[in-house]
Amino acid sequence: MLEPLWSRSLGYAVRGLHFAREGELLLARDEGQILSLIDSRGGMQASARLQNLACACLSDDGSTIAAVGAGGQVWWLAPDLTTRRERSIPAPAVAVAADPFGEYLAVSDRDGGLHLLDRNGRALGQFQTPRPVHHLAFVPMQPYLAAAADLGWAGCLDLSTGNWLWTDRPVSNIGSLAVAGSGDPLLLACFSIGVRRYNSGGYRASTSLPKPCGLIALSFGGEKGVAAGAGHELYGFNAQGELMQTRELEHTPMAIALSAEGNRVFCGFADGTL
């Protein structure tokens, strides 16, 4: 059973969480446009406000912290969250993801552009998607990038060829995306139609949960996962998508993250509690 380990208040509603599975660091983004870098025991390492902050990410090894802004800004941040490097893309940025070792960033924009950058800010490639991408994740053990819009489109891009391995058009809002280290499974939390499961060939199956869920997270191996959404419940499931446990929380989670082993869950709430 899941038992509380620690909590702290950030002051504003939590809107995003990223856990560095090797670096043991948690990056939280809140409604006050503040980023907070927190260790796995709840200790605050740094915090900073970024104007027009839209999204942020953290590489698995903790070496790269990046954020993007509604004005098209892309920021690479130091461990104290000061700006190391900045560049811009032509349209307002929507989402950002870092590869596990922080060598590359993927940034999406409001016009459906998907930009691949190296750690020095150099552009390596640009792709176009039918809808703006709101959810991005590098597949750690494959040269793939998982992407999903907030409604009706998802795909997996082979970065070695520049071709899409698959694309899909689920008739649903998409709340979040999670991917195992190997890329199988890749999960989409699709609210009322459940959790959609994919492998390298595309759509495989759907799993229904007791309540609609828009948040999802996976362990590195994909053998454990958690989902949350419309209620106060946190649902734990196995590699086959079977519901294994339910935990009643005091509030409805706004963001979740999971450790590499799947034995610790991090939750952010609307009252600013983490």
Side-chain angles (χ1 to χ4, degrees):
M1 292 295 292
L2 295 171
E3 296 298 334
L5 295 177
W6 56 262
S7 68
R8 68 173 304 127
S9 178
L10 300 182
Y12 295 92
V14 179
R15 294 302 183 193
L17 289 177
H18 292 264
F19 185 61
R21 292 180 285 200
E22 295 178 20
E24 287 285 307
L25 292 168
L26 187 69
L27 184 68
R29 175 177 59 88
D30 67 37
E31 203 170 61
Q33 299 186 332
I34 296 172
L35 287 179
S36 299
L37 188 64
I38 299 160
D39 67 32
S40 60
R41 297 175 299 278
M44 181 69 73
Q45 303 296 294
S47 65
R49 188 188 301 270
L50 290 173
Q51 189 173 5
N52 296 320
L53 177 64
C55 191
C57 69
L58 181 63
S59 62
D60 270 352
D61 65 358
S63 66
T64 294
I65 307 167
V68 294
Q73 305 97 326
V74 183
W75 298 286
W76 284 259
L77 305 173
D80 63 357
L81 299 182
T82 56
T83 301
R84 277 180 169 169
R85 184 176 300 106
E86 181 177 347
R87 65 157 292 167
S88 62
I89 56 175
V94 176
V96 60
D99 80 291
F101 303 108
E103 295 293 329
Y104 307 103
L105 288 185
V107 180
S108 64
D109 67 41
R110 198 177 294 170
D111 292 340
L114 185 56
H115 309 264
L116 186 66
L117 311 172
D118 70 12
R119 68 185 315 147
N120 296 311
R122 292 177 297 204
L124 301 177
Q126 183 174 344
F127 309 90
Q128 194 66 30
T129 57
R131 295 180 59 85
V133 169
H134 286 250
H135 313 291
L136 281 169
F138 283 87
V139 177
M141 298 171 64
Q142 300 286 351
Y144 302 155
L145 179 68
D150 61 347
L151 173 67
W153 184 87
C156 189
L157 179 66
D158 186 339
L159 295 169
S160 64
T161 65
N163 297 321
W164 293 95
L165 289 172
W166 56 263
T167 61
D168 189 28
R169 293 180 179 271
V171 186
S172 177
N173 292 95
I174 301 168
S176 61
L177 175 157
V179 63
S182 67
D184 185 6
L186 186 158
L187 304 181
L188 299 181
C190 293
F191 294 96
S192 58
I193 68 169
V195 177
R196 289 175 70 87
R197 304 172 65 84
Y198 299 81
N199 59 19
S200 60
Y203 175 69
R204 189 171 63 188
S206 291
T207 301
S208 296
L209 293 170
K211 290 185 179 179
C213 289
L215 301 175
I216 200 158
L218 272 174
S219 63
F220 185 83
E223 69 282 356
K224 297 178 182 178
V226 291
H232 293 185
E233 295 84 3
L234 187 69
Y235 300 109
F237 54 88
N238 63 15
Q240 291 73 44
E242 299 167 334
L243 184 64
M244 302 301 291
Q245 62 174 302
T246 301
R247 169 79 190 211
E248 183 83 16
L249 303 174
E250 188 174 350
H251 304 288
T252 300
M254 304 295 290
I256 60 174
L258 191 61
S259 65
E261 301 86 0
N263 59 352
R264 288 168 294 160
V265 185
F266 304 94
C267 298
F269 301 94
D271 66 352
T273 302
L274 183 62

